[in-house]
């Protein structure tokens, strides 16, 4: 909402909400610091943000509504699809005849109002609200969807005909087109998207079908379906993914695309025969991804500076390491986005292509026709690229070709499956890579894990002596305490017992107190002394010790820093470090 700051100051003077002297002092100081007057008032704790919002609403003549305790009808709520409501902070909460009242953080956002007006074909009446109201209303989308989901399953599962064990291809094609089956599969996918799930697991048991979603890296049960829907669901998903509908003995992989509330998703499908039928895993990949920086991923301090410095070099190799699901691909894509300018030619060889990026030439691995990482990489270097991204170094041949590409004037980015940064060098030794070539080409190694982020409802606590003793089994308490002192989290005369940590607290926003994820990292710079150790074919522990001596912060140290800042919990750090 745009309100002239002088006008706001005049209303504050009339309202007597802030003392005259404090108001004038804040006005002069905000101008001196070149800050927005209203932001400065909130920063100085002279007034609450909500009071500013209400005052601006009064000035503009727009009524303020609080939706925190209001139950909105699901029919009205879903006039505005949840992704749009969330992205634009707009909630439909009341409908009368041809008029729809919407609560917004910015009622002067005319572009969004016009969009909703065209989509709903209703007259839009904007109202002002606050962030808490928006959050409360957004949580009602999930509740109403769960209720709708349950009703669909109960109603439609009864209409599905039970077919024989030895069904024909025609039987399967027919059941895949049944309206109840289509509705069940569509609802499973829609619900997963709105829950921000990365994967859908459909697992057949003896008497039922278990559906689970992976949300923030954790599998959670979503629904139990009756056994008689199994053949239909499998057939429907196979049809969507263009797989062989009558093949039940061999694994199959495919993909399809969906449009949901103006958002596009690529769905990667894996079908695997199991004892009670066929298990399906669908991975959901959003095609429209916002560009995020390395800071948003969780890289900070000297580690962030090292990565920025390394990607400025025109040649060499940058490796990102960690187990499956640790966010390696996201880090690689973030680096590619930073490097993606008109002056460079970027080519990739991936399995699979998870996100499509403008101006980057992306190639999908296809072993069935001989297009492996190694063969694809051979062709890529003939295409005169400046930067090459290889989805994963899996074998000796790909390792040798990647190192050769880095030696011959290319910047090469790739991933490896290792538990820490120093272990990456040992892994390259195992792949028969020559030590002197590794030391010549390798610039930096980024090792990472993903931890769940705490919701604002988190609860403060201090570690007890027994808890610290237990932590000593997993990490070096002295090193962590010293690191927190360097980061000004702990004073010189304090210990780990004096640090405020946080535990998850269930809330309306999240049942387990976590929402979203962030990375914890260790970044190994290939310095001259590390190069010497590589050439000498030194063991992993010596490289690790030298790197730490030269200032490398380990993943567990980075994790404790994020825990002390309230971003995550100690339990979450230990979960991903020790798994």
């Amino acid at each position: 909402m745009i309100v002239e700051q002088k006008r706001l100051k005049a209303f504050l003077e009339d309202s007597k909400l802030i003392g005259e002297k404090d108001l004038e002092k804040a006005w002069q100081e905000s101008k001196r610091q070149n800050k927005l007057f209203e932001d400065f008032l909130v920063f100085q704790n002279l007034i609450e943000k909500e009071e500013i919002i209400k005052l601006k609403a009064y000035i503009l003549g727009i009524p303020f509504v609080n939706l925190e305790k209001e139950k909105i009808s699901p029919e009205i709520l879903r006039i505005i699809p949840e992704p749009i409501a969330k992205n634009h902070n707009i909630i439909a909460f009341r409908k009368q005849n041809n008029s729809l009242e919407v609560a917004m953080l910015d009622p002067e956002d005319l572009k969004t109002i016009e969009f909703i007006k065209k989509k709903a074909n209703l007259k839009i009446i904007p109202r002002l609200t606050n962030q808490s109201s928006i959050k409360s209303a957004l949580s009602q989308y999930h509740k109403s969807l769960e209720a709708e989901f349950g009703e669909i399953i109960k109603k439609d599962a009864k209409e599905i005909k039970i077919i024989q064990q030895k069904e024909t291809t025609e039987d399967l094609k027919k059941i895949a087109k049944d309206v109840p089956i289509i509705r069940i599969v569509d609802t499973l996918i829609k619900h997963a998207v709105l829950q921000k799930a990365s994967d859908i697991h459909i697992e057949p048991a003896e008497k039922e079908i278990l559906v689970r979603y992976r949300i923030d890296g954790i599998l959670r049960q979503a629904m139990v379906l009756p056994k008689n829907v199994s053949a239909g669901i499998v057939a429907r998903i196979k049809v969507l993914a263009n797989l062989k509908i009558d093949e039940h003995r061999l694994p199959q992989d495919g993909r399809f695309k969906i449009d949901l509330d103006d958002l596009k998703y690529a769905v990667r499908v894996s079908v695997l025969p199991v004892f009670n039928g066929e298990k399906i895993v669908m991975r959901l990949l959003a095609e429209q991804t916002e560009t995020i920086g390395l800071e948003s991923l969780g890289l900070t301090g000297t580690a962030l500076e090292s990565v920025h410095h390394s990607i400025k070099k025109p040649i060499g190799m940058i490796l990102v390491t960690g187990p499956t699901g640790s966010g390696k691909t996201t880090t690689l894509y973030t680096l590619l986005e930073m490097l993606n300018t008109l002056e460079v030619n970027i080519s990739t060889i991936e399995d699979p292509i998870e996100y499509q990026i403008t101006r980057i030439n992306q190639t999908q691995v296809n072993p069935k026709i001989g297009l492996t990482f190694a063969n694809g990489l051979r062709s890529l270097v003939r295409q005169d690229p400046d930067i090459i991204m290889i989805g994963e170094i899996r074998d000796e041949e790909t390792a040798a070709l990647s190192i050769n590409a880095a030696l011959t004037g290319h910047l090469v980015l790739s991933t490896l499956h290792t538990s820490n940064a120093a272990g990456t060098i040992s892994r390259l030794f195992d792949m028969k890579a020559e030590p002197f070539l590794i030391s010549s080409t390798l610039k930096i190694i980024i090792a990472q894990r993903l931890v769940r982020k705490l919701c604002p409802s988190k609860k403060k606590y201090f570690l007890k002596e027994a808890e610290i003793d237990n932590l000593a089994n997993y990490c070096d308490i002295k090193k962590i305490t010293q690191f927190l002192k360097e980061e000004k989290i702990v004073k010189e005369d304090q210990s780990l017992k004096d640090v405020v940590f946080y535990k998850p607290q269930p809330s309306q926003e999240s049942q387990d107190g976590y929402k979203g994820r962030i990375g914890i990292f260790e970044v190994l710079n290939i310095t001259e002394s590390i190069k010497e150790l590589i050439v000498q074919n030194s063991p992993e522990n010596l490289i690790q010790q030298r790197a730490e001596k030269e200032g490398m912060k380990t993943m567990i140290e980075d994790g404790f820093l994020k825990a002390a800042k309230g971003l995550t919990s100690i339990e979450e750090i230990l979960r991903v470090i020790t798994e």
Side-chain angles (χ1 to χ4, degrees):
M1 282 188 306
I2 299 170
V3 172
E4 285 186 10
Q5 298 299 289
K6 280 187 179 179
R7 194 177 176 194
L8 179 63
K9 179 174 178 274
F11 269 86
L12 282 167
E13 285 171 347
D14 292 342
S15 67
K16 308 292 183 187
L17 286 169
I18 301 172
E20 194 175 328
K21 286 183 180 178
D22 288 337
L23 194 65
E24 188 57 39
K25 186 179 177 183
W27 175 257
Q28 296 301 332
E29 192 64 22
S30 66
K31 285 204 294 185
R32 189 182 71 80
Q33 294 186 25
N34 197 28
K35 285 185 177 179
L36 201 64
F37 178 51
E38 62 186 81
D39 291 343
F40 190 81
L41 291 174
V42 175
F43 178 73
Q44 292 290 320
N45 294 318
L46 292 170
I47 192 170
E48 294 291 328
K49 180 74 175 176
E50 189 162 319
E51 290 300 319
I52 290 279
I53 293 171
K54 287 178 180 177
L55 192 61
K56 287 168 74 176
Y58 179 76
I59 292 168
L60 294 169
I62 300 168
F64 179 88
V65 293
N66 190 324
L67 303 177
E68 286 185 66
K69 294 180 181 178
E70 188 160 333
K71 179 75 176 76
I72 305 169
S73 162
E75 291 75 23
I76 294 171
L77 188 68
R78 288 202 297 274
I79 289 172
I80 301 175
E82 197 220 18
I84 295 170
K86 191 170 186 178
N87 291 336
H88 297 278
N89 292 304
I90 180 168
I91 298 291
F93 68 96
R94 191 177 296 137
K95 182 176 176 288
Q96 290 181 336
N97 301 323
N98 291 324
S99 297
L100 180 69
E101 288 187 69
V102 297
M104 307 174 69
L105 293 184
D106 183 6
E108 291 195 326
D109 183 357
L110 302 179
K111 192 175 178 182
T112 300
I113 291 170
E114 190 61 30
F115 175 79
I116 302 298
K117 182 182 176 181
K118 285 181 181 177
K119 190 172 181 68
N121 196 26
L122 295 166
K123 181 185 176 184
I124 306 301
I125 304 170
R127 301 285 185 249
L128 180 68
T129 193
N130 55 20
Q131 193 69 54
S132 300
S133 289
I134 295 287
K135 274 187 179 181
S136 174
L138 285 172
S139 70
Q140 294 184 44
Y141 274 94
H142 301 300
K143 291 173 186 174
S144 60
L145 186 61
E146 283 168 10
E148 174 199 23
F149 186 90
E151 286 169 16
I152 287 173
I153 299 301
K154 285 175 187 174
K155 180 184 172 185
D156 292 348
K158 291 174 184 175
E159 297 176 21
I160 297 165
K161 295 172 185 176
I162 300 173
I163 55 180
Q164 299 302 315
Q165 289 289 328
K166 294 182 179 180
E167 62 275 2
T168 65
T169 303
E170 289 305 313
D171 288 333
L172 289 169
K173 284 180 180 176
K174 189 176 179 182
I175 198 171
K177 292 177 182 177
D178 279 358
V179 173
I181 285 290
I182 291 171
R183 287 186 66 191
I184 288 172
V185 172
D186 287 354
T187 309
L188 283 171
I189 295 171
K190 180 183 177 184
H191 188 46
V193 167
L194 294 180
Q195 289 283 325
K196 294 190 180 300
S198 59
D199 302 87
I200 305 170
H201 290 241
I202 303 172
E203 303 164 337
E206 186 180 355
K207 296 179 180 178
E208 59 195 15
I209 307 296
L210 180 64
V211 180
R212 297 193 288 174
Y213 296 151
R214 190 177 294 281
I215 301 169
D216 294 335
I218 305 292
L219 272 175
R220 307 174 193 211
Q221 185 165 315
M223 183 62 64
V224 176
L225 304 176
K227 185 72 173 179
N228 66 306
V229 304
S230 179
I233 288 175
V234 171
R236 175 65 186 162
I237 293 169
K238 283 182 177 179
V239 167
L240 289 171
N242 198 26
L243 301 177
K244 291 179 181 177
I245 198 168
D246 57 347
E247 177 57 76
H248 308 294
R249 299 167 302 166
L250 295 173
Q252 295 189 73
D253 296 304
R255 62 194 299 154
F256 61 92
K257 293 188 179 184
I258 57 166
D259 285 355
L260 182 64
D261 297 330
D262 300 319
L263 296 174
K264 291 183 180 179
Y265 286 83
V267 183
R268 212 166 79 211
V269 178
S270 171
V271 183
L272 181 71
V274 293
F275 184 75
N276 288 301
E278 291 174 272
K279 178 190 173 184
I280 293 178
V281 176
M282 292 186 281
R283 170 154 286 190
L284 304 173
L285 302 164
E287 293 197 343
Q288 303 94 338
T289 54
E290 294 179 12
T291 303
I292 54 175
L294 293 171
E295 297 91 337
S296 302
L297 296 179
L299 274 164
T300 56
T302 54
L304 178 64
E305 290 172 17
S306 298
V307 175
H308 274 294
H309 180 69
S310 295
I311 63 173
K312 288 177 183 175
K313 295 176 181 177
I315 60 172
M317 184 183 286
I318 295 171
L319 293 177
V320 183
T321 76
T324 301
S326 60
K328 300 187 298 296
T329 305
T330 302
T331 300
L332 275 188
Y333 277 118
T334 303
L335 294 173
L336 286 180
E337 285 279 15
M338 294 169 69
L339 293 164
N340 189 12
T341 63
L342 289 169
E343 292 78 30
V344 294
N345 177 5
I346 302 176
S347 293
T348 75
I349 179 84
E350 305 173 58
D351 184 22
I353 296 170
E354 295 200 6
Y355 305 109
Q356 293 178 353
I357 308 176
T358 308
R359 288 200 310 272
I360 293 182
N361 310 291
Q362 296 172 267
T363 303
Q364 166 78 50
V365 165
N366 190 346
K368 290 178 182 176
I369 59 170
L371 182 53
T372 60
F373 276 116
N375 291 337
L377 186 50
R378 281 195 190 90
S379 299
L380 279 191
V381 278
R382 299 190 199 108
Q383 290 274 313
D384 187 33
D386 300 291
I387 299 162
I388 299 170
M389 191 271 266
I390 304 150
E392 185 186 344
I393 296 175
R394 293 177 180 171
D395 51 49
E396 293 176 18
E397 190 179 12
T398 309
L401 288 166
S402 302
I403 290 169
N404 188 60
L407 273 173
T408 54
H410 305 90
L411 180 62
V412 177
L413 291 80
S414 191
T415 70
L416 268 176
H417 284 274
T418 60
S419 58
N420 61 4
T424 304
I425 296 164
S426 300
R427 182 81 183 97
L428 290 171
F429 289 159
D430 293 340
M431 289 182 173
K432 305 292 188 290
E434 293 289 347
F436 73 94
L437 292 178
I438 297 172
S439 68
S440 302
T441 55
L442 201 52
K443 301 300 177 189
I444 200 166
I445 302 168
I446 305 165
Q448 65 180 82
R449 299 286 190 282
L450 288 177
V451 293
R452 291 179 294 166
K453 291 197 291 184
L454 289 165
C455 291
S457 58
K458 59 197 174 191
K459 187 179 180 182
K460 291 182 182 180
Y461 78 103
F462 292 91
L463 287 171
K464 294 174 183 174
E465 198 67 51
E467 291 172 313
I468 293 174
D469 290 342
N470 184 49
L471 284 174
N473 296 321
Y474 304 98
C475 55
D476 188 330
I477 298 297
K478 286 184 180 178
K479 276 185 67 182
I480 285 170
T481 305
Q482 183 56 40
F483 174 56
L484 293 178
K485 285 179 180 179
E486 290 169 11
E487 294 290 329
K488 310 297 182 190
I489 301 290
V490 181
K491 293 178 182 176
E492 283 301 323
D493 59 341
Q494 291 181 324
S495 69
L496 209 58
K497 286 192 292 185
D498 302 302
V499 181
V500 177
F501 288 105
Y502 300 83
K503 285 187 176 180
Q505 190 80 352
S507 65
Q508 193 176 28
E509 192 176 2
S510 169
Q511 289 182 353
D512 57 10
Y514 293 103
K515 193 167 187 182
R517 289 192 287 177
I518 194 168
I520 56 172
F521 297 86
E522 65 181 37
V523 175
L524 173 55
N525 265 316
I526 309 301
T527 60
E528 291 304 318
S529 58
I530 297 290
K531 284 181 182 180
E532 286 176 19
L533 290 175
I534 293 172
V535 170
Q536 293 163 16
N537 209 342
S538 300
E540 180 184 324
N541 63 320
L542 285 182
I543 294 171
Q544 181 77 19
Q545 287 169 16
R546 180 66 62 86
E548 288 183 37
K549 204 171 183 180
E550 293 181 354
M552 182 185 81
K553 302 306 174 191
T554 63
M555 263 187 287
I556 199 154
E557 288 170 351
D558 188 37
F560 264 84
L561 177 62
K562 288 179 169 72
K565 287 182 175 179
L567 294 172
T568 189
S569 66
I570 292 176
E571 291 78 11
E572 187 65 8
I573 299 299
L574 295 179
R575 180 183 70 82
V576 300
I577 293 290
T578 57
E579 65 183 6

